[in-house]
Amino acid sequence: MSDQEEQMSGRPHARVGADHAGPGDAMNSAIVAISTTGMITAWSPCARHLLGHTAEEALGRPVERFLHRVAEGGAHPRRDHRILRVLRAGVPVDAGADSFTHRDGHPVMLAWSSAPIYAGEPGAEGREAGTVTGAVIVLQDATQPLRIEREQHDRMEQARRANSRLELVAEITTVLSSTLDESEVLRRLVRLAVPALGDWAEVDLLIPDGRVERVAATHREFSPADIAHLEGPLPPLPRSPRGPLARVLHGGTTLVISGDDARPYSDEPLTAAQHELFRAMDAHNVIITPWRPGARPTAR
């Protein structure tokens, strides 16, 4: 039987069907050949390494049983199998990375490409000058390239965030030097903080005479009218604080809390007021930090 007849028959080729190393394995590439009917005629040792199936299991059987792309699901029609399209179109396919199913069931990320095998020379007019007698599929482990790509993406994201922080610092410096009106400075600062640092922000001031006042607030979805209702005087600072805001205003350090942590105490109206703010802001995670430029505001 000639090479052409053997390729079209779908039976394994005596020279390439056996489980032995070839040029693809030297390049860490799996080589799989199929007939015009989609039957596997060659299955290299590297294919076994990547997918777990031996040549004895694969040869002479439909390629879609062994090169099963996870994205195609369990009941994907054979006519729509992407790897088999090269047989119908007669043109090479370079598909990039896909997730395939290993013999033991876990997904493996492989880069793959395929090209038709012609009987004779395609000639100057390409595929129309020759007959497609099968296809060859090349697969490579894509885990390492994808890991490198993710690391590069992470580094670029870190650089973007660093640049954003530098821009925010520059904007804050401009705001601090733009006016001597302390209340206006604080309002501008909270507007810079949202959405750069969070969904909402506010500043509470402990006035020297003991009063507490919310002098600035903002939320990414609230209108100025909504914000105006949130600003203004707050209940006084308790002598023995238990709530997070009261503890920070009493000289505490930065706190990271959830919205539920600011539960109201019957004898601490300030904490109850803060709890109502958390509910209005739909707060899930909150940072309360002291700021001491003479008076002691907290910003969130």
Side-chain angles (χ1 to χ4, degrees), residues 11-209:
R11 289 194 290 271
H13 195 293
R15 293 188 298 275
V16 298
D19 195 358
H20 67 277
D25 297 282
M27 298 182 292
N28 293 321
S29 298
I31 305 295
V32 178
I34 58 175
S35 68
T36 54
T37 59
M39 299 299 173
I40 296 173
T41 59
W43 185 267
S44 73
C46 192
R48 175 180 181 175
H49 173 71
L50 293 177
L51 292 161
H53 301 280
T54 65
E56 288 77 11
E57 293 172 328
L59 291 174
R61 293 176 174 83
V63 67
E64 64 268 24
R65 292 186 186 177
F66 301 92
L67 298 186
H68 177 69
R69 295 168 58 244
V70 172
E72 289 177 321
H76 205 273
R78 189 173 196 258
R79 65 180 179 275
D80 294 332
H81 197 280
R82 191 177 179 190
I83 291 176
L84 294 175
R85 292 177 192 172
V86 67
L87 296 174
R88 298 190 299 273
V91 294
V93 175
D94 187 359
D98 265 326
S99 183
F100 289 82
T101 303
H102 191 274
R103 186 178 188 274
D104 64 12
H106 77 269
V108 289
M109 190 62 66
L110 303 176
W112 67 276
S113 59
S114 61
I117 299 172
Y118 295 103
E121 294 294 331
E125 297 182 1
R127 63 185 177 90
E128 295 181 358
T131 301
V132 176
T133 60
V136 62
I137 304 155
V138 180
L139 304 104
Q140 291 180 314
D141 186 353
T143 304
Q144 181 74 359
L146 286 177
R147 183 184 64 80
I148 294 173
E149 183 179 342
R150 284 195 297 268
E151 289 176 352
Q152 291 173 341
H153 178 271
D154 290 344
R155 285 195 293 269
M156 292 179 63
E157 181 64 20
Q158 289 171 4
R160 186 193 66 79
R161 291 177 180 174
N163 288 334
S164 297
R165 288 193 293 269
L166 289 175
E167 291 173 0
L168 181 60
V169 169
E171 291 175 348
I172 289 174
T173 301
T174 300
V175 166
L176 292 175
S177 60
S178 62
T179 178
L180 297 177
D181 185 335
E182 183 180 73
S183 296
E184 180 60 23
V185 167
L186 294 175
R187 289 189 180 93
R188 293 181 185 181
L189 286 177
V190 295
R191 288 196 292 268
L192 283 178
V194 177
L197 300 178
D199 293 329
W200 64 280
E202 58 135 336
V203 177
D204 297 336
L205 278 178
L206 177 59
I207 311 301
D209 62 9

